């Protein structure tokens, strides 16, 4: 469910016309519905109301500090994967005791930053990382809360790029080795072995892989408690899918009920790290049609948003609905929607049946709230898009459009290159 809908022929976000925002802020622009974001968070968090838990929103899905703030105000924590995301979460006002830190490549500086901040725990992905955290904690005279990220070797049945819980993936520690890893970790004096974690992939549309992973974690939990290791947190990661096209993922309450049922014989605090399911359908990317053209083979709709703004179609061949911001009565066409980037892979939709878009029309790329802006770049020296948060009949720019001078921030021409530039033109054909 989301709060983008038509009134007559106009697309609205909550009680605000999308075209009004585009006119004022320009395009490309990401537009998010506050109501959808808050409701999605509440639905997910309430679904686990029967068990002790912390919902730690996965910041990498959408890390704008205004968005993080919405979930923090609802009592949520944050799942981070870098020092940069920790900085954002803190600026958004998170309670560090609700922060979990995942990721295979944590740098020493990042570990120190997290330790000084007092986060709940690190989800540790290798033996060497365990040693690095122990050493940092020793130097800072702190105790580091840790969970080992276990790779349960279950197939999430999703796109290979977003599958993370198979042996062939780089993530986590093999489930067979994990008991040994905990016993080894117990010898590290600066670690507090608080939890077990896993995250098996993203955009899952079935419950069974989650339950298979949970079963493996439960076995480990029992073995560790028997060995005298006091595991208090079970972190089941994120990964619940959403409807982009015709997928039918379980509702968060079905997912929660299945987990609560499967876990009724254990007592611990659960941690969840949902990203996409909270923000995915709560945001759209609005672009302007620059040109249309056709050849014998194809029609193209060229818009002012490209793979630098939304890379998912190019990277994962993922599907996003394309809609008109103002419905026209033009004939339907089959076309590719492409961006201005100089790459053939720069597209938002391929061979798609679409309403007849014309030059100057506004286009809404739906379900762009997750892994949209956060994966955007300046490729082709394109300033990054603005972000807007709609709240009822008002809206707020929560990130202004980048300016040209920001593109070269930090760049410098060395003095030796500063002399006069050659002015002679090479003799050309005349
Ligand atoms: C990406 C990621 C998430 C969020 O995944 P979603 O599919 O967006 O819910 C959660 N935890 C970890 C460790 C991740 O890497």
């Amino acid at each position: 469910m989301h709060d983008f809908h038509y009134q007559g022929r106009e697309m609205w976000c909550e009680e605000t016309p999308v075209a009004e925002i585009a006119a004022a802020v320009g395009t490309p622009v990401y537009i998010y519905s506050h109501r959808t974001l808050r409701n999605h968070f509440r639905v997910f968090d309430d679904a686990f109301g029967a068990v002790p838990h912390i919902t730690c929103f996965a910041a990498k899905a959408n890390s704008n500090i205004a968005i993080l703030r919405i979930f923090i105000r609802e009592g949520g924590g944050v799942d981070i994967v870098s020092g940069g995301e920790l900085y954002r979460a803190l600026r958004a006002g998170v309670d560090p005791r609700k922060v979990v830190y995942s990721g295979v490549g944590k740098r020493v500086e990042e570990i120190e930053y997290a330790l000084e901040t007092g986060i709940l725990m690190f989800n540790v992905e290798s033996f060497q990382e365990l040693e690095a955290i122990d050493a940092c904690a020793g130097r800072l005279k702190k105790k580091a809360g840790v969970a080992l990220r276990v790779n349960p070797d279950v197939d999430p049945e999703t796109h290979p790029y977003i599958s993370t819980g198979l042996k062939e993936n780089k993530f986590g520690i093999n489930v067979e080795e994990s008991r040994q890893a905990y016993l080894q970790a117990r010898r590290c004096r600066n670690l507090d072995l608080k939890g077990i974690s896993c995250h098996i992939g993203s955009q899952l549309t079935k419950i069974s892989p989650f339950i298979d992973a949970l079963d493996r974690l439960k076995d480990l939990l029992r073995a560790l408690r028997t060995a005298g290791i006091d595991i208090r947190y079970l972190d089941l990661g994120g990964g619940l899918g959403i409807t982009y096209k015709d997928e039918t993922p379980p509702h968060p309450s079905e997912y929660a009920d299945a987990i609560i049922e499967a876990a009724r014989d254990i007592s611990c605090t659960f941690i969840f790290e949902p990203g996409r399911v909270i923000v995915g359908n709560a945001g759209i990317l609005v672009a302007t049609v620059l040109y249309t053209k056709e050849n014998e083979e194809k029609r193209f709709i060229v818009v002012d948003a490209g793979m630098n703004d939304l890379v998912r179609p190019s990277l994962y061949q993922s599907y996003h609905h394309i809609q008109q911001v103002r419905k026209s009565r033009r004939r339907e066409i089959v076309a590719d929607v492409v961006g201005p980037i100089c790459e053939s892979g720069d597209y938002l939709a391929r061979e798609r049946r679409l309403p007849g878009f014309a030059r100057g029309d506004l286009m809404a790329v739906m379900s762009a709230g997750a892994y949209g802006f956060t994966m955007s770049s300046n490729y082709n020296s394109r300033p990054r898009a603005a972000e807007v948060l709609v709240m009822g009949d008002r809206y707020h720019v929560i990130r202004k459009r980048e300016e040209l001078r920001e593109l070269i921030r930090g760049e410098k021409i060395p003095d030796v290159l500063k002399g006069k530039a050659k002015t002679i033109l090479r003799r050309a054909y005349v």
Side-chain angles (χ1 to χ4, degrees):
M1 271 309 298
H2 59 73
D3 290 271
F4 297 93
H5 54 92
Y6 287 94
Q7 276 186 35
R9 287 156 58 184
E10 281 289 317
M11 182 184 281
W12 290 58
C13 175
E14 301 188 11
E15 286 79 61
T16 303
V18 168
E20 185 185 311
I21 299 170
V25 180
T27 60
V29 57
Y30 277 94
I31 300 177
Y32 309 109
S33 157
H34 173 262
R35 190 179 300 147
T36 311
L37 291 164
R38 200 192 48 196
N39 287 350
H40 282 182
F41 184 88
R42 285 184 181 167
V43 163
F44 188 99
D45 196 50
D46 290 352
F48 289 99
V51 293
H53 73 279
I54 313 173
T55 302
C56 295
F57 173 70
K60 75 176 195 281
N62 191 321
S63 58
N64 186 295
I65 57 174
I67 306 274
L68 298 180
R69 181 73 196 154
I70 296 169
F71 310 135
I72 290 166
R73 270 166 57 110
E74 295 292 317
V78 181
D79 167 43
I80 59 165
V81 292
S82 70
E85 285 187 353
L86 176 55
Y87 177 75
R88 286 176 172 280
L90 293 170
R91 293 297 293 259
V94 75
D95 176 348
R97 292 166 304 178
K98 292 183 181 175
V99 172
V100 291
Y101 189 171
S102 310
V104 286
K106 304 178 188 78
R107 301 166 62 221
V108 167
E109 297 86 327
E110 293 176 307
I111 294 169
E112 285 172 352
Y113 179 27
L115 282 169
E116 267 159 4
T117 304
I119 65 165
L120 176 64
M121 64 185 193
F122 295 86
N123 288 340
V124 179
E125 306 221 12
S126 65
F127 288 91
Q128 290 185 358
E129 186 191 330
L130 211 49
E131 286 166 9
I133 294 174
D134 185 47
C136 280
R139 274 199 305 281
L140 297 179
K141 302 201 169 25
K142 306 247 183 208
K143 201 117 179 145
V146 299
L148 296 197
R149 174 163 174 184
V150 173
N151 185 332
D153 195 28
V154 299
D155 186 356
E157 297 175 44
T158 183
H159 190 287
Y161 284 13
I162 48 179
S163 139
T164 54
L166 281 170
K167 275 194 179 157
E168 67 205 55
N169 302 131
K170 69 177 176 181
F171 299 99
I173 296 172
N174 282 346
V175 66
E176 299 89 17
E177 287 177 73
S178 54
R179 204 177 77 92
Q180 207 47 46
Y182 274 94
L183 296 176
Q184 188 176 324
R186 183 154 64 169
R187 291 200 287 271
C188 299
R189 286 189 301 142
N190 309 304
L191 302 182
D192 175 8
L193 298 178
K194 285 182 179 175
I196 306 175
S197 75
C198 76
H199 170 72
I200 57 175
S202 200
Q203 183 55 12
L204 273 71
T205 52
K206 289 188 191 147
I207 291 180
S208 54
F210 290 111
I211 302 299
D212 293 346
L214 172 59
D215 284 340
R216 296 192 186 168
L217 262 53
K218 271 168 58 181
D219 293 342
L220 178 62
L221 176 87
R222 290 201 193 91
L224 294 178
R225 283 186 176 165
T226 307
I229 298 176
D230 179 24
I231 299 294
R232 286 147 280 158
Y233 294 92
L234 216 47
D235 181 342
L236 296 182
L240 192 58
I242 63 170
T243 304
Y244 284 103
K245 187 181 184 187
D246 46 18
E247 305 90 334
T248 51
H251 188 270
S253 65
E254 290 173 62
Y255 162 79
D257 290 349
I259 287 174
I260 293 169
E261 169 65 21
R264 69 184 187 291
D265 50 346
I266 51 170
S267 70
C268 63
T269 297
F270 286 91
I271 292 173
F272 301 99
E273 303 169 350
R276 189 186 313 271
V277 70
I278 309 285
V279 293
N281 283 322
I284 63 174
L285 172 63
V286 176
T288 301
V289 175
L290 297 175
Y291 309 105
T292 62
K293 61 179 194 173
E294 58 191 280
N295 57 31
E296 308 81 57
E297 296 278 311
K298 266 178 180 293
R299 283 174 196 270
F300 295 97
I301 301 171
V302 185
V303 298
D304 67 355
M307 64 189 285
N308 72 298
D309 297 300
L310 179 66
V311 78
R312 298 188 68 258
S314 307
L315 187 60
Y316 312 123
Q317 296 83 47
S318 51
Y319 178 99
H320 288 267
H321 266 315
I322 304 272
Q323 291 178 203
Q324 289 177 305
V325 170
R326 184 170 290 139
K327 282 186 183 165
S328 70
R329 299 210 166 84
R330 289 186 217 108
R331 206 161 48 78
E332 277 199 343
I333 53 166
V334 174
D336 283 14
V337 178
V338 300
I341 298 282
C342 302
E343 298 276 346
S344 293
D346 175 29
Y347 71 95
L348 297 172
R350 270 199 171 147
E351 295 291 323
R352 187 77 66 82
R353 178 165 295 281
L354 292 168
F357 279 98
R359 183 157 193 230
D361 283 357
L362 290 173
M363 176 184 284
V365 183
M366 307 305 288
S367 311
Y371 307 102
F373 187 88
T374 51
M375 291 180 98
S376 67
S377 77
N378 291 122
Y379 187 38
N380 280 202
S381 285
R382 290 169 43 80
R384 270 177 295 184
E387 293 179 285
V388 166
L389 181 66
V390 174
M391 301 176 82
D393 58 5
R394 314 190 61 159
Y395 68 88
H396 306 273
V397 176
I398 57 172
R399 192 182 207 274
K400 65 184 182 61
R401 185 175 309 287
E402 257 175 2
E403 291 175 23
L404 293 181
R405 59 186 169 76
E406 293 176 89
L407 290 176
I408 56 166
R409 198 182 53 198
E411 292 181 25
K412 194 168 184 295
I413 299 175
D415 285 342
V416 293
L417 295 179
K418 273 186 180 160
K420 248 173 79 193
K422 286 185 186 168
T423 51
I424 306 157
L425 281 174
R426 292 219 182 270
R427 190 171 291 280
Y429 250 108
V430 271

